[in-house]
Amino acid sequence: MRLSAPRITPVDLDDLTEDQREALAPFMKSGWVINIFKTLARAPRALKRFNVWAGYVMSDRNALTPRDRELVILRTGYLCRSGYEWSQHVTIGLRAGLTEDEVERIKVGPEAAAWSARDVALLQATDELVRDHFISNGSWAALDFLNEKQRMDMVFTAAQYTQVSMMLNSFGVQLDKGQTLDPDLDWRD
């Protein structure tokens, strides 16, 4: 987390424009709208389009297994130093089959002990995407357990969460009620 206060104030759910209400409608049904969406609702037309792409990445249309997807998302969020993203996706990752030990090892990356060859390949490719915006030939070849669509979805997932991390960090989106900031991601000014 980079900022102690938001640069873009989340909308007040009791004072929404029609465009904001429409953009937030999918989340309002659940009765709980998290800060990322309340913040992005300041640009409601962008939020509506964002929801379509993010919905794809987080759905079963993404050919990665939920565990593989969350491994990529958490590593991306950690490398981008996005405390908010990390906090949200630790819970999702645990539900997707990651262990608490694995979540901690994600911080170390592909060099951490005890990863499977599959996990090392996914983490290495994620590191290269975030750091260099490109997967090297060697790392691409190491993803041979993924089919073409899965490789594309792996890149889409890292790209989506790099973008999300940029927004969260730059807009100063604060943790939601009940969340705890991982001390390793406390970069607040």
Side-chain angles (χ1 to χ4, degrees):
M1 189 140 230
R2 307 288 184 95
L3 299 170
S4 298
R7 287 179 172 163
I8 308 291
T9 306
V11 296
D12 178 343
L13 296 178
D14 294 325
D15 189 28
L16 299 173
T17 67
E18 190 55 41
D19 283 346
Q20 290 169 336
R21 190 176 332 286
E22 186 179 333
L24 289 171
F27 309 106
M28 301 277 280
K29 290 177 186 173
S30 73
W32 189 52
V33 183
I34 60 177
N35 286 337
I36 182 176
F37 301 121
K38 289 192 287 189
T39 302
L40 295 180
R42 291 287 179 191
R45 291 182 180 164
L47 175 56
K48 283 179 70 175
R49 295 296 182 213
F50 173 86
N51 289 341
V52 172
W53 182 244
Y56 169 81
V57 171
M58 287 300 295
S59 75
D60 60 6
R61 292 171 293 182
N62 183 331
L64 294 177
T65 67
R67 184 189 177 282
D68 287 351
R69 183 194 67 223
E70 291 304 317
L71 187 74
V72 171
I73 290 170
L74 283 165
R75 184 63 178 163
T76 300
Y78 189 78
L79 291 173
C80 292
R81 299 190 304 209
S82 180
Y84 185 94
E85 192 58 45
W86 181 265
S87 180
Q88 288 289 348
H89 278 270
V90 163
T91 302
I92 298 168
L94 292 170
R95 282 196 312 253
L98 291 169
T99 67
E100 289 184 18
D101 179 61
E102 288 172 328
V103 168
E104 282 303 307
R105 282 190 282 130
I106 288 169
K107 296 177 189 179
V108 177
E111 299 83 23
W115 287 123
S116 68
R118 177 187 188 95
D119 291 343
V120 168
L122 287 165
L123 291 164
Q124 182 63 42
T126 301
D127 282 15
E128 290 179 9
L129 282 169
V130 173
R131 292 182 175 140
D132 192 35
H133 314 295
F134 177 76
I135 299 175
S136 68
N137 288 338
S139 293
W140 188 262
L143 294 171
D144 63 352
F145 56 89
L146 298 177
N147 64 34
E148 183 176 82
K149 169 80 166 52
Q150 289 170 317
R151 287 180 193 194
M152 292 177 73
D153 283 342
M154 185 269 162
V155 174
F156 293 156
T157 301
Q160 163 68 6
Y161 281 90
T162 298
Q163 172 186 282
V164 170
S165 294
M166 288 177 176
M167 291 186 285
L168 293 166
N169 289 343
S170 295
F171 299 160
V173 176
Q174 300 298 296
L175 296 180
D176 291 295
K177 185 177 179 178
Q179 291 183 316
T180 304
L181 180 60
D182 186 302
D184 293 333
L185 290 168
D186 191 350
W187 293 79
R188 292 177 287 190
D189 54 353

